[in-house]
Amino acid sequence: MSYIPTARIRLPSTVAHVAKYGNQVFIVRRAYHDESFGFRKPRKFTISDYTSEQLVNRATNAPLLRYADAVRTHGHRAASIDPLDLLRRERVAALNPVRYGLDDPNHAFDIDGILWTGQGNEEWTLNNITSFLNSAYVGRIAYEYMDLPSKTERLWFAKLLESQNGLEPMIVIDAERRKKIHALLAKSEVLDNFLQVKFPNLKRYGLEGGESMLPALDVLFEAASRAGITQLILAMPHRGRLNLLTELLEYNPTALFHKIKGGCEVEETLGVSGDVLIASPTLQYGEAEGIKVSLQPNPSHLEAVNPVALGKARAKQYSLLRTLSNGKNNQDCMLGDKVMCVQLHGDASFAGQGVVMETLGLSNLPHFTSGGSVHVVVNNNIGYTTPASSARSSFYCSDVAKMINCPVLHVNGDYPEDVVRAIDIAFKYRNHFRKDIVIDLIVYRRWGHNELDEPSFTQPLMYEKIRSRSSVPKLYEDKLISDGVISLEAAKAVRDSYKASLNAALTDVASYAPPPVRFEGAWEGMVWPASPDACQYDTGVSSMVLKEVGKASVCVPPGFEIHPRLNRHVKSRLGSIESGEGIDWASAEAMAFGSLMLQEGCDVRIAGQDVGRGTFSHRHAMLVDQKTEGVIVPLNHALTEAKGKLELANSSLSEMAVLGFEYGASWERPDLLPIWEAQFGDFFNGAQVIIDTFIASSETKWLKQSGIVLLLPHGLDGAGPEHSSCRIERMLQLTNDSYTAQEKHNINMHVVFPTTPAQYFHLLRRQIKRNYRKPLIVAAPKGLLRLAARTSFQPILRDTATFTDPKAVQRVVLLSGKIYYDLAKERAVRNLESRVALVRIEELAPFPFAALSDELASYADTNKHLEVLWVQEEPRNQGAWGHVKERIEGVLKELGLEGRVVYRGRREDAVPAPGIGKVYGVQQRAVIESAFEAL
């Protein structure tokens, strides 16, 4: 971390966190004084510092202190954490006490303030000290915590790991727990063997070699439950998923076998295509309140669900906070008190996939933190066929977590009891500090990437070693039998009983029927979008409410000093609200937000880069005091009677994780309007995986509805290729929009290109007013337009200039987006208002067959030779042309119009727009003129 001396800059101390080193003060990082809704202050922690006597002793015995800290820092390098012993380790010189001038093993030292034995003032010999440190730090659990910048956290770890009394009681691994660990391991092995025999061609991504993951998660669930956590959001890739489902998550094995045999996991009448299995059981641990563990769906894109799970966890926590505090922003209730996110990873993906880094980057941000996640990396020391040396530049796969100063515990997966101890420590840290922690569970993969692979093609020595060793469950079983904890007969009974239950479950597949889908919890009252009960509602709002909300959106409290240039913004908005004329895009948006907060009681959350001000300096939903940098959100400040709140989450420079986070929140809360705004339209490229594998397909794969809104600024304006296009053609291609008119078609998401603030206003309100949820993709013009009066969104905007005299119209120009205004201006210059009609298709998907047919019929009835053009400013291979062409032709055919719709616009191109101003100008002029050619 870089530090800037305060002597070089002048800032009021109120806008910075400060740190001292000697007599010099340094600024650590700047921050707004943000007390707005959703901003969660970092939790403060203290731990007793060194006493004066301890400080003296640390100075007196400085060589011993250096040695102890060296073992804490470097012990992991010598620890026995690799079950295959394939890690190439050099001798760690830092662990030799002689390097610190400590060469007499019998010399006695006062260890007070140097070691944390919990025994008070003591004198230990160097020999005892060395044994003590090695037992704590150079065993089968290795700790990386000494690089943490927080002295409090470093002391917490040292005292927890070294004290015999302990800061907190450590987990007791008694006979009963050992039996439970054995049962979990044995059943996992039985399931994998059963599936291999019954379904030999199944790619099941079994857990063989990594079975210790199950007792680790069992202990984590139990610890969370006993700590008062009631909801656990679990994200994981494929490996071990079936084992976890059927053992810990109580998934019906018959349902699993039904799926493996090709059956649908839900009612087939719903038209679900299916994908990975999910479950949300409520588990009971002793007398503690039940804990609901929700395993999230993860697509086949290795790791993509991480930010989705994080967003869902925060949204679930906020739902609970609103219930506990009657909708107020209860700052006393900490995030993470009732909800925890647990993320499982693979080693290659943890090190190699950017989504992991992006998601870690959100973990401590005030509008994104969920109170700390526990990460478990199931580390095979290989990614598909790629060895670790080619999969990452770092020594450990977990090193990427150091970017957020995250402690890491490495543990040998061959020793389940050590794994259980490690996970117990990890939870204690997370629950105390409410920050992320990583367990690097080092295991191996008994088979290849899947059970049909031959791994020795590329890793012959690794797999020679694997195939010559007993399995983890068998090794642990032999130890328990040797220790007299269980008998050979009891161990066999565990396996035989579970195998018998699996055989019975397989027999029951013939009569199995998936249970009906129910909307529960926050989704109660919602319906399936394809249901006859799905309906639209009027999205209009009374002028009185609009005026109240509009004024509230620029309400500045007394004594709050806004930027002088914003005075004009405030006056302009108040004037337009009062007159009802000239209401711009941001005003319409504010009125949509405020009316939903006021009338529907829903929260609105908009996330992305610079969303408070708005990239184009148009929104100003967040105001910053020019003297203190204090922050207010006027809608929250002025609409005190509103039950809903507006959260403005200015995000990190991340697309994939931030969009995934907002999408996860939309899964949890149908009463939330979640919006992700791309700074420019093309920024969604970094989030394409989330769009493809979740937003466009989750309803079809997993029956997951979402009301997520994507605001993607779009429109060619000479700004160059990347800032011009939101690649609307991609969004349209991702829809399952019908090519022909359907009475009832359940489209996967809506794609719109509104051209007026009124249209945008009604679209936002429609997201909440419906009794179901659909993703909404908004190709948003970058200009500020005027508001037209109506009470609902219109998929087609007719041409009012020519509608009164359709007989005179020779040409209908169909279009979408801001090019309408250029065409309308040119039409007026050419005096062609009566001969050319400009019809805007505002909703591209679902395609408005009926509305377009009604509009064109008024012209076609009197002119069978009517010309119909499609005009767009995007290149021909981009924009909406590929989507609308066949659909428009179908409408024209039904109307009996001759010929096909004719394309006018830019030719095919490899880029969305030219980066040379003159070239753009020539091209744009040619597009506009082509619409009126030969008239």
Side-chain angles (χ1 to χ4, degrees):
M1 181 181 293
S2 60
Y3 296 89
I4 307 171
T6 55
R8 296 185 181 179
I9 57 175
R10 290 189 177 183
L11 284 173
S13 61
T14 53
V15 300
H17 300 293
V18 296
K20 283 189 176 181
Y21 183 78
N23 294 322
Q24 196 170 13
V25 180
F26 297 93
I27 290 180
V28 179
R29 60 178 180 175
R30 296 184 63 254
Y32 285 130
H33 270 266
D34 189 348
E35 300 291 336
S36 64
F37 178 75
F39 188 103
R40 305 305 291 190
K41 295 178 180 178
R43 194 172 184 180
K44 302 291 185 183
F45 307 96
T46 58
I47 194 169
S48 55
D49 203 351
Y50 306 106
T51 65
S52 57
E53 292 81 5
Q54 288 174 336
L55 288 173
V56 170
N57 188 49
R58 286 165 66 87
T60 302
N61 291 303
L64 179 63
L65 174 61
R66 290 180 59 213
Y67 171 54
D69 278 348
V71 177
R72 293 171 181 134
T73 302
H74 301 288
H76 65 90
R77 296 166 57 193
S80 302
I81 55 176
D82 180 11
L84 299 180
D85 198 25
L86 293 175
L87 293 178
R88 295 180 181 177
R89 296 181 179 275
E90 58 187 14
R91 183 168 179 170
V92 185
L95 303 182
N96 187 348
V98 175
R99 291 180 65 87
Y100 311 97
L102 307 173
D103 53 7
D104 182 358
N106 297 314
H107 184 81
F109 294 89
D110 183 350
I111 62 171
D112 189 30
I114 298 175
L115 301 183
W116 304 102
T117 65
Q119 302 299 314
N121 295 333
E122 293 182 274
E123 287 197 352
W124 282 24
T125 65
L126 177 61
N127 193 50
N128 289 339
I129 291 169
T130 299
S131 297
F132 175 79
L133 288 171
N134 284 338
S135 66
Y137 294 105
V138 194
R140 293 188 288 261
I141 307 176
Y143 305 93
E144 288 190 277
Y145 70 86
M146 285 296 284
D147 57 337
L148 301 180
S150 166
K151 182 198 70 176
T152 297
E153 294 179 37
R154 295 195 305 271
L155 271 176
W156 183 90
F157 265 110
K159 291 183 176 182
L160 180 75
L161 300 177
E162 298 170 23
S163 174
Q164 295 174 20
N165 296 330
L167 283 174
E168 300 181 47
M170 303 292 269
I171 188 170
V172 176
I173 303 181
D174 56 15
E176 287 306 309
R177 188 170 294 280
R178 297 178 82 185
K179 289 177 183 178
K180 188 174 185 183
I181 292 172
H182 167 262
L184 288 169
L185 298 175
K187 289 179 179 179
S188 180
E189 187 168 52
V190 168
L191 175 68
D192 280 323
N193 291 339
F194 185 87
L195 292 174
Q196 186 64 36
V197 171
K198 301 296 183 180
F199 307 99
N201 295 320
L202 174 68
K203 294 180 182 180
R204 54 188 163 81
Y205 302 97
L207 196 53
E208 293 107 318
E211 290 95 346
S212 291
M213 179 190 86
L214 292 175
L217 292 178
D218 183 49
V219 166
L220 181 59
F221 298 166
E222 179 182 351
S225 179
R226 295 188 187 281
I229 292 171
T230 60
Q231 305 275 345
L232 193 146
I233 309 302
L234 179 60
M236 71 178 300
H238 295 338
R239 179 155 157 75
R241 193 180 192 96
L242 303 185
N243 309 70
L244 175 62
L245 278 165
T246 52
E247 289 189 59
L248 288 181
L249 301 189
E250 302 176 348
Y251 195 84
N252 183 352
T254 301
L256 171 63
F257 300 145
H258 172 77
K259 169 77 171 179
I260 292 173
K261 283 176 166 285
C264 183
E265 55 265 44
V266 297
E267 302 167 81
E268 293 185 16
T269 56
L270 294 175
V272 174
S273 64
D275 199 17
V276 297
L277 297 172
I278 57 179
S280 295
T282 297
L283 307 181
Q284 196 70 44
Y285 288 94
E287 300 299 318
E289 184 179 352
I291 182 170
K292 184 174 183 179
V293 180
S294 299
L295 176 61
Q296 303 306 299
N298 185 66
S300 299
H301 189 81
L302 293 178
E303 297 194 21
V305 73
N306 319 71
V308 178
L310 200 64
K312 183 177 173 66
R314 181 177 168 107
K316 185 177 284 291
Q317 183 92 35
Y318 261 77
S319 293
L320 295 176
L321 289 179
R322 291 193 71 184
T323 302
L324 294 172
S325 57
N326 295 320
K328 297 178 181 177
N329 189 18
N330 186 354
Q331 293 286 355
D332 296 327
C333 185
M334 294 298 297
L335 287 172
D337 283 351
K338 293 293 182 182
V339 182
M340 182 171 74
C341 183
V342 176
Q343 300 178 42
L344 274 65
H345 309 268
D347 52 311
S349 51
F350 194 81
Q353 283 198 267
V355 67
V356 174
M357 182 277 290
E358 288 190 35
T359 306
L360 287 169
L362 298 181
S363 61
N364 296 323
L365 297 182
H367 283 282
F368 293 88
T369 180
S370 67
S373 298
V374 175
H375 301 263
V376 180
V377 182
V378 182
N379 184 349
N380 305 310
N381 267 309
I382 192 171
Y384 208 123
T385 66
T386 304
S389 59
S390 297
R392 59 181 184 265
S393 296
S394 59
F395 183 76
Y396 293 121
C397 67
S398 57
D399 284 348
V400 68
K402 293 180 180 179
M403 63 172 274
I404 60 166
N405 302 311
C406 182
V408 178
L409 279 62
H410 309 274
V411 59
N412 191 324
D414 257 9
Y415 298 89
E417 292 179 19
D418 290 290
V419 174
V420 162
R421 291 188 182 96
I423 204 79
D424 180 59
I425 293 168
F427 176 75
K428 284 178 168 61
Y429 172 86
R430 178 269 173 196
N431 219 40
H432 188 81
F433 293 102
R434 297 295 160 82
K435 296 171 70 176
D436 287 30
I437 185 168
V438 173
I439 295 289
D440 179 18
L441 176 58
I442 303 176
V443 295
Y444 59 88
R445 198 180 61 191
R446 180 160 289 278
W447 310 110
H449 176 66
N450 60 63
E451 291 68 27
L452 306 184
D453 273 348
E454 177 46 73
S456 61
F457 287 156
T458 51
Q459 275 75 36
L461 297 182
M462 172 185 264
Y463 277 87
E464 181 182 5
K465 213 165 196 178
I466 289 172
R467 286 164 179 167
S468 66
R469 70 198 317 275
S470 293
S471 68
V472 174
K474 189 66 172 65
L475 288 171
Y476 190 66
E477 184 172 285
D478 290 346
K479 177 173 176 53
L480 294 195
I481 292 172
S482 174
D483 291 348
V485 176
I486 59 173
S487 66
L488 179 62
E489 293 74 17
K492 185 175 184 299
V494 170
R495 293 173 180 267
D496 290 346
S497 173
Y498 190 55
K499 184 176 180 180
S501 69
L502 292 177
N503 274 311
L506 184 59
T507 302
D508 291 343
V509 169
S511 59
Y512 176 79
V517 175
R518 293 186 176 90
F519 292 94
E520 299 175 339
W523 288 85
E524 190 173 355
M526 306 298 285
V527 302
W528 180 237
S531 162
D533 298 325
C535 55
Q536 305 283 354
Y537 292 88
D538 185 0
T539 53
V541 179
S542 73
S543 59
M544 181 179 67
V545 171
L546 289 179
K547 284 186 177 182
E548 178 188 358
V549 169
K551 291 175 181 178
S553 70
V554 286
C555 179
V556 182
F560 193 94
E561 187 172 322
I562 63 174
H563 194 282
R565 287 171 58 182
L566 288 182
N567 288 319
R568 184 173 59 184
H569 163 77
V570 172
K571 291 178 182 178
S572 175
R573 182 170 294 186
L574 290 174
S576 62
I577 293 292
E578 196 60 44
S579 67
E581 296 292 331
I583 295 175
D584 61 27
W585 202 265
S587 298
E589 179 185 75
M591 289 191 290
F593 292 166
S595 60
L596 288 171
M597 293 158 53
L598 190 65
Q599 294 186 322
E600 313 303 326
C602 77
D603 290 338
V604 178
R605 176 180 159 102
I606 178 167
Q609 293 133 33
D610 312 301
V611 296
R613 188 200 77 169
T615 294
F616 308 106
S617 198
H618 67 287
R619 179 172 289 124
H620 297 295
M622 176 189 86
L623 300 178
V624 180
D625 190 293
Q626 297 301 293
K627 289 186 176 179
T628 67
E629 286 199 355
V631 169
I632 64 162
V633 176
L635 280 174
N636 293 337
H637 171 77
L639 295 179
T640 55
E641 71 276 26
K643 291 184 179 179
K645 297 291 183 183
L646 170 61
E647 181 173 6
L648 296 163
N650 285 324
S651 76
S652 62
L653 194 63
S654 158
E655 279 79 46
M656 183 173 181
V658 173
L659 178 56
F661 188 99
E662 304 310 314
Y663 184 72
S666 75
W667 273 359
E668 178 60 32
R669 293 187 58 191
D671 63 337
L672 172 73
L673 178 61
I675 301 173
W676 178 68
E677 181 176 62
Q679 198 166 43
F680 286 89
D682 68 292
F683 277 40
F684 80 92
N685 281 303
Q688 189 72 58
V689 171
I690 298 295
I691 297 169
D692 288 356
T693 59
F694 284 107
I695 294 175
S697 56
S698 283
E699 184 183 305
T700 302
K701 291 190 289 191
W702 303 299
L703 293 180
K704 289 284 192 179
Q705 293 187 51
S706 166
I708 188 76
V709 178
L710 274 62
L711 299 183
L712 308 178
H714 175 85
L716 279 63
D717 55 9
E722 268 54 72
H723 283 181
S724 296
S725 175
C726 75
R727 293 290 189 177
I728 199 168
E729 64 276 2
R730 285 191 205 164
M731 302 300 171
L732 291 169
Q733 189 180 37
L734 286 171
T735 70
N736 63 346
D737 196 13
S738 174
Y739 279 88
T740 58
Q742 302 285 332
E743 185 176 344
K744 191 75 173 179
H745 176 58
N746 184 27
I747 193 170
N748 60 332
M749 61 185 189
H750 291 255
V751 182
V752 298
F753 200 169
T755 56
T756 72
Q759 291 281 75
Y760 179 47
F761 170 88
H762 291 293
L763 281 167
L764 292 175
R765 286 185 51 78
R766 188 178 74 173
Q767 286 296 98
I768 292 294
K769 293 290 286 182
R770 293 188 290 205
N771 59 352
Y772 61 93
R773 295 291 176 260
K774 284 287 180 184
L776 175 66
I777 313 297
V778 182
K782 290 181 273 187
L784 305 181
L785 310 173
R786 297 175 69 84
L787 181 68
R790 60 179 63 90
T791 59
S792 63
F793 172 74
Q794 304 296 316
I796 295 284
L797 287 185
R798 59 180 48 182
D799 192 339
T800 55
T802 56
F803 184 72
T804 55
D805 188 17
K807 297 179 182 179
V809 173
Q810 297 173 256
R811 178 177 296 174
V812 174
V813 175
L814 302 177
L815 59 103
S816 193
K818 74 175 181 64
I819 196 173
Y820 165 79
Y821 295 96
D822 293 334
L823 292 172
K825 183 178 179 180
E826 182 70 16
R827 182 179 63 177
V829 170
R830 294 177 181 238
N831 196 26
L832 292 173
E833 285 95 334
S834 63
R835 298 169 62 193
V836 178
L838 304 177
V839 177
R840 285 170 275 178
I841 300 181
E842 301 271 291
E843 186 164 51
L844 294 161
F847 190 79
F849 288 99
L852 180 60
S853 180
D854 291 344
E855 178 66 14
L856 292 180
S858 61
Y859 306 108
D861 287 346
T862 58
N863 187 351
K864 293 302 180 183
H865 299 286
L866 183 71
E867 295 178 315
V868 180
L869 306 185
W870 172 263
V871 178
Q872 68 178 36
E873 59 182 354
E874 302 87 356
R876 183 168 186 158
N877 58 315
Q878 299 169 36
W881 172 239
H883 183 80
V884 301
K885 179 178 181 291
E886 189 172 337
R887 293 168 173 86
I888 293 172
E889 287 173 353
V891 172
L892 294 176
K893 184 177 180 181
E894 289 294 322
L895 294 173
L897 293 176
E898 297 178 4
R900 298 182 175 185
V901 59
V902 177
Y903 170 84
R904 296 285 170 85
R906 284 174 168 81
R907 61 176 176 79
E908 301 81 1
D909 206 335
V911 295
I916 301 171
K918 285 186 178 179
V919 174
Y920 165 77
V922 170
Q923 288 183 358
Q924 190 72 359
R925 184 63 196 164
V927 171
I928 301 303
E929 291 179 348
S930 70
F932 305 101
E933 215 169 64
L935 286 177

